[in-house]
């Protein structure tokens, strides 16, 4: 841009000088050297081509010779007075060339900066921006033939329930997860479109919509097919942000994950409902401190109408999060970033009900609302309802319709460390370590809370098979991690280990082990830029159970990704 402006200014200056010369000069003897030097200057500035310049130089020499001959036979010129301006003679062809160049430069700049047609667009148009992405995925889910085939789908049980667990009054099986039959070549689509509005210097708002097979919080991927039926669109984000200073912003609504984290704990598609304050304090060009404080409602007790005069107490579930971290640029080639977070999931665990009598007409028990609103699989669960026996029938004939709830509390410490380094030939290496520990895990409290009515994660002796720790180590190598340009590429690999109650199973990655906890295994893959903002991906994930019956799952994903 500076080069173009300099050329433009020079050309305009020459034209002004020529015009001034016509007004003030009285047929002075032209300077052949000055004209030729000017033409050479235009060549070096990129205004003229070399072949054009050679023709102009020859013409300038001829016209200069003719001018000198005419001057020698003309009367003597009036002596120059103080203040007179004498300008070297500029051939007409040069003046025309300069005029055309100036016109082209000015019109190009006017078009680019939109000042040739002011007020063409309304004010709001300059404050609105759009973003979006689309991903087409072919996914295959491969199961081991040696897997157990008795894994209950407790999430579906809660959704469809209550389910009668008394085998004498209910001969049907509860929902059972698929654990042996492969699902190959599933074509899936993710499409998201967002609008961002800069309302003022300190306020902005945004909305994003996205696809999704259901209301799952951890995936906006839509499985295609279903008889070519139309697909659902969901509100993926909707937020308002106030930025009172360069170091602080406060956001509320349905917002992007405000924490430094990985999909070990929070899926990459997960958005948060609530409010977060985010700060960033630089100490120098190489070191800064950052942090996030947030409060997020996970679930409110429903006020839906039920055929009962006695309603459940309001037991609202919240997530409170606090994270602090530092970003240190060690030198031009190395960067270290780390953060420690504490997440308290308040009242997310289940509660054993007071004695209740569904068989006598009770529509609900007082702890039904403590069941998790969304689960994947892996957490230790227990039966929520304390149902009394019907005295009018044999003890074995009292139906026992049940929901299940989380047995453990979840108060998490989350440590994240990343190291990025520049290698040879524009290569970059990035590594990430993520460790999660559940401070709320206590087996004695779990037994007390459940009254011993566990639904899963018990061995043959009735001992709890669980744990409070999860970790992931990953690395990526390539010439780019953003994948915005054609030819960008990277490869990655990593390992995950997640004990059953290390974290809530409802919010982490839905691909590894097809979501949830009680899983360990590795993942490998790579990306390649096919064009600007278009790249292909391949990913292989292999996992198995940490405790319990055999459950091995391999997932292959082939993707085409676009951004706009």
């Amino acid at each position: 841009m500076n080069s173009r402006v300099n050329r433009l200014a020079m050309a305009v200056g020459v034209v002004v000088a020529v015009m001034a010369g016509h007004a003030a000069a009285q047929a002075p003897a032209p300077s052949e050297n000055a004209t030729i030097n000017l033409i050479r200057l235009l060549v070096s500035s990129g205004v003229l081509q070399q072949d054009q310049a050679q023709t102009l130089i020859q013409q300038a020499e001829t016209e200069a010779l003719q001018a000198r001959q005419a001057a020698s036979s003309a009367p003597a010129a009036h002596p120059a007075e103080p203040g007179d301006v004498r300008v070297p003679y500029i051939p007409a062809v040069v003046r025309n060339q300069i005029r055309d160049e100036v016109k082209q430069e000015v019109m190009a700049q006017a078009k680019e900066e939109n000042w040739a047609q002011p007020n063409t667009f309304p004010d709001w148009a300059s404050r609105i921006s759009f973003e979006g992405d689309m991903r087409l995925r072919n996914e295959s889910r491969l199961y081991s033939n040696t897997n157990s085939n008795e894994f209950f789908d407790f999430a579906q049980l809660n959704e469809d329930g209550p389910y009668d667990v008394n085998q004498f009054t209910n001969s049907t099986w509860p929902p059972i997860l698929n654990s042996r039959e492969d699902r190959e070549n599933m074509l899936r689509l993710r499409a998201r479109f967002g609008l961002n509005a800069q309302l003022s210097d300190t306020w902005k708002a945004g909305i994003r919509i996205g696809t999704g097979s259901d209301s799952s919080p951890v995936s906006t991927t839509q499985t295609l097919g279903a008889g070519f039926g139309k697909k659902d669109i969901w509100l993926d984000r909707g937020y308002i942000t106030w930025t009172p200073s360069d170091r602080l912003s406060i956001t509320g609504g349905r917002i992007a994950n405000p924490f430094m984290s990985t999909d070990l704990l929070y899926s990459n598609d997960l958005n948060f409902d609530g409010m977060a304050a985010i700060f960033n304090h630089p100490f120098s060009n190489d070191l800064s401190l950052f942090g996030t404080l947030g409060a997020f409602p996970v679930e409110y007790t429903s006020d839906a109408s039920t055929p009962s005069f006695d309603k459940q107490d309001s037991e609202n579930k919240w997530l409170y999060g606090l994270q602090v971290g530092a970003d240190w640029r060690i030198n031009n080639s190395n960067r270290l970033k780390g953060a420690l977070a504490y997440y308290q999931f308040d009242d997310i665990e289940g509660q054993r009900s007071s004695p209740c009598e569904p068989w006598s007409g009770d529509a609900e028990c007082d702890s039904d609302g403590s069941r998790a609103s969304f689960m994947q699989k892996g957490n230790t669960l227990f039966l929520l309802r304390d149902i009394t026996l019907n005295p009018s029938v044999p003890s074995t004939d009292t139906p026992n319709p049940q929901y299940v709830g989380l047995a453990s509390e979840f108060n998490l410490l989350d440590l994240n460390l990343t190291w990025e380094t520049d290698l040879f030939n524009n290569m970059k290496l990035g590594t990430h370590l993520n460790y999660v520990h559940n401070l709320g895990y206590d087996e004695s409290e779990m037994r007390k809370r459940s009254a011993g009515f566990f639904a899963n994660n018990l061995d043959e002796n009735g001992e709890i098979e669980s744990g409070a720790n999860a970790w992931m180590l990953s690395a990526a190598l390539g010439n780019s991690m953003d994948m915005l340009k054609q030819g960008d590429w990277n490869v990655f690999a990593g390992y995950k280990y997640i004990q059953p109650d290390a974290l809530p199973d409802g919010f982490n990655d839905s691909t590894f082990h097809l979501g949830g906890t009680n899983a360990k295994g590795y993942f490998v893959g790579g990306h390649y830029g096919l064009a600007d903002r278009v790249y292909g991906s391949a990913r292989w994930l292999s996992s198995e159970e940490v405790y319990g019956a055999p459950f091995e799952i391999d997932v292959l994903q082939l993707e085409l990704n676009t951004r706009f």
Side-chain angles (χ1 to χ4, degrees):
M1 175 63 76
N2 290 337
S3 175
R4 189 178 69 184
V5 172
N6 290 338
R7 289 168 53 200
L8 181 60
M10 181 192 71
V12 172
V14 172
V15 173
V16 171
V18 171
M19 294 175 63
H22 280 296
Q26 303 294 327
S31 171
E32 177 182 347
N33 290 338
T35 302
I36 293 174
N37 289 338
L38 175 61
I39 294 172
R40 289 172 176 168
L41 179 60
L42 293 175
V43 172
S44 64
S45 299
V47 176
L48 294 177
Q49 302 293 328
Q50 184 62 46
D51 55 346
Q52 295 174 324
Q54 190 61 37
T55 301
L56 293 176
I57 290 174
Q58 294 176 356
Q59 183 174 347
E61 291 174 344
T62 300
E63 292 184 2
L65 177 61
Q66 294 173 352
R68 285 195 296 270
Q69 292 174 349
S72 63
S73 60
H78 179 73
E81 297 292 339
D84 286 349
V85 178
R86 296 190 181 277
V87 180
Y89 173 72
I90 306 296
V93 64
V94 176
R95 296 197 302 270
N96 292 337
Q97 178 74 20
I98 293 173
R99 180 196 63 196
D100 293 340
E101 289 286 343
V102 170
K103 180 179 179 180
Q104 292 176 9
E105 294 280 359
V106 171
M107 292 306 297
Q109 185 176 0
K111 181 177 180 181
E112 180 177 342
E113 299 179 2
N114 198 33
W115 50 263
Q117 295 178 313
N119 301 320
T120 301
F121 302 104
D123 173 67
W124 62 263
S126 63
R127 295 184 282 103
I128 300 293
S129 62
F130 301 96
E131 63 178 1
D133 63 85
M134 291 188 66
R135 180 183 69 197
L136 185 62
R137 170 188 288 175
N138 183 279
E139 181 172 300
S140 295
R141 303 172 179 179
L142 310 174
Y143 302 87
S144 172
N145 292 330
T146 62
N147 286 347
S148 171
N149 62 352
E150 297 183 6
F151 294 103
F152 297 146
D153 188 346
F154 291 106
Q156 192 66 44
L157 183 150
N158 271 353
E159 183 174 345
D160 298 340
Y163 170 78
D164 185 2
V165 299
N166 186 349
Q167 60 180 337
F168 297 104
T169 57
N170 183 13
S171 60
T172 63
W173 284 91
I176 297 177
L177 291 171
N178 173 39
S179 59
R180 292 185 180 177
E181 298 300 325
D182 295 343
R183 297 291 184 259
E184 298 179 354
N185 301 319
M186 298 169 58
L187 196 60
R188 314 188 76 196
L189 174 71
R190 184 184 72 181
R192 302 181 297 192
F193 182 77
L195 177 151
N196 300 299
Q198 189 68 46
L199 307 176
S200 67
D201 291 341
T202 59
W203 290 90
K204 67 178 181 180
I207 296 174
R208 189 172 79 176
I209 58 176
T211 53
S213 294
D214 50 40
S215 60
S216 161
V218 295
S219 177
T220 51
T221 302
Q222 170 72 56
T223 301
L224 302 181
F228 297 159
K230 294 186 291 293
K231 311 308 177 188
D232 292 327
I233 294 293
W234 306 83
L235 178 64
D236 193 38
R237 289 180 188 168
Y239 65 89
I240 299 174
T241 298
W242 178 45
T243 308
S245 72
D246 294 338
R247 299 180 180 181
L248 175 66
S249 66
I250 301 174
T251 299
R254 181 163 176 80
I255 66 177
N257 180 0
F259 301 101
M260 177 184 175
S261 63
T262 72
D263 62 10
L264 178 75
L265 178 58
Y266 298 132
S267 166
N268 292 330
D269 278 356
L270 180 69
N271 292 296
F272 287 65
D273 298 344
M275 299 190 66
I278 305 169
F279 75 90
N280 188 355
H281 180 76
F283 290 100
S284 67
N285 292 333
D286 299 323
L287 180 64
S288 63
L289 182 70
F290 63 89
T292 301
L293 176 65
F296 313 95
V298 176
E299 184 181 2
Y300 295 111
T301 300
S302 174
D303 278 334
S305 298
T306 59
S308 174
F309 291 103
D310 295 324
K311 302 299 182 181
Q312 299 175 21
D313 292 338
S314 177
E315 297 289 348
N316 300 328
K317 305 172 184 179
W318 285 79
L319 164 61
Y320 303 102
L322 172 64
Q323 183 178 69
V324 292
D327 192 348
W328 178 30
R329 184 174 294 278
I330 302 172
N331 53 42
N332 292 333
S333 300
N334 293 276
R335 176 185 174 188
L336 187 64
K337 185 177 182 180
L340 180 65
Y342 173 74
Y343 303 110
Q344 177 176 318
F345 289 86
D346 196 29
D347 289 330
I348 196 175
E349 68 277 4
Q351 299 176 15
R352 186 73 173 167
S353 76
S354 302
C356 59
E357 302 175 350
W359 47 267
S360 68
D362 289 348
E364 56 186 18
C365 298
D366 58 13
S367 69
D368 288 356
S370 69
R371 67 187 185 274
S373 56
F374 180 78
M375 300 188 300
Q376 296 189 90
K377 61 179 183 295
N379 286 158
T380 303
L381 306 171
F382 71 97
L383 305 181
L384 294 178
R385 290 176 161 185
D386 181 7
I387 298 177
T388 59
L389 295 177
N390 184 351
S392 64
V393 300
S395 60
T396 57
D397 291 344
T398 301
N400 192 8
Q402 288 286 349
Y403 293 109
V404 294
L406 301 177
S408 176
E409 292 184 352
F410 291 93
N411 301 314
L412 311 182
L413 279 180
D414 178 35
L415 174 65
N416 282 274
L417 291 173
T418 65
W419 172 51
E420 299 176 358
T421 183
D422 296 334
L423 304 176
F424 53 88
N425 295 331
N426 200 33
M427 297 278 285
K428 305 177 186 299
L429 173 65
T431 59
H432 197 133
L433 171 65
N434 185 196
Y435 173 73
V436 179
H437 176 71
N438 181 12
L439 297 173
Y441 180 78
D442 186 322
E443 291 190 7
S444 63
E445 286 296 321
M446 292 165 64
R447 290 187 179 278
K448 180 179 178 181
R449 183 175 298 112
S450 66
F453 288 91
F454 290 106
N456 64 343
N457 291 353
L458 296 179
D459 65 13
E460 296 178 352
N461 299 318
E463 298 297 324
I464 299 175
E465 292 187 313
S466 187
N469 299 298
W471 59 272
M472 181 185 79
L473 180 63
S474 64
L477 174 68
N479 65 2
S480 173
M481 302 301 166
D482 298 326
M483 304 306 300
L484 295 176
K485 300 293 185 180
Q486 181 178 6
D488 286 352
W489 67 272
N490 64 59
V491 293
F492 59 87
Y495 188 87
K496 291 183 179 182
Y497 180 89
I498 316 172
Q499 291 182 322
D501 293 304
L503 47 94
D505 66 25
F507 305 123
N508 66 349
D509 177 36
S510 62
T511 297
F512 182 78
H513 206 61
L514 297 182
T517 63
N518 193 20
K520 62 182 179 180
Y522 68 89
F523 55 92
V524 295
H527 306 97
Y528 183 78
L530 304 174
D532 290 353
R533 295 171 294 280
V534 180
Y535 65 95
S537 301
R539 185 181 297 106
W540 174 266
L541 306 97
S542 182
S543 64
E544 61 183 2
E545 78 291 342
V546 176
Y547 302 110
F551 198 7
E552 298 180 15
I553 307 175
D554 294 333
V555 178
L556 173 64
Q557 295 175 336
L558 304 175
E559 298 175 349
L560 181 64
N561 299 269
T562 67
R563 302 175 188 172
F564 54 90

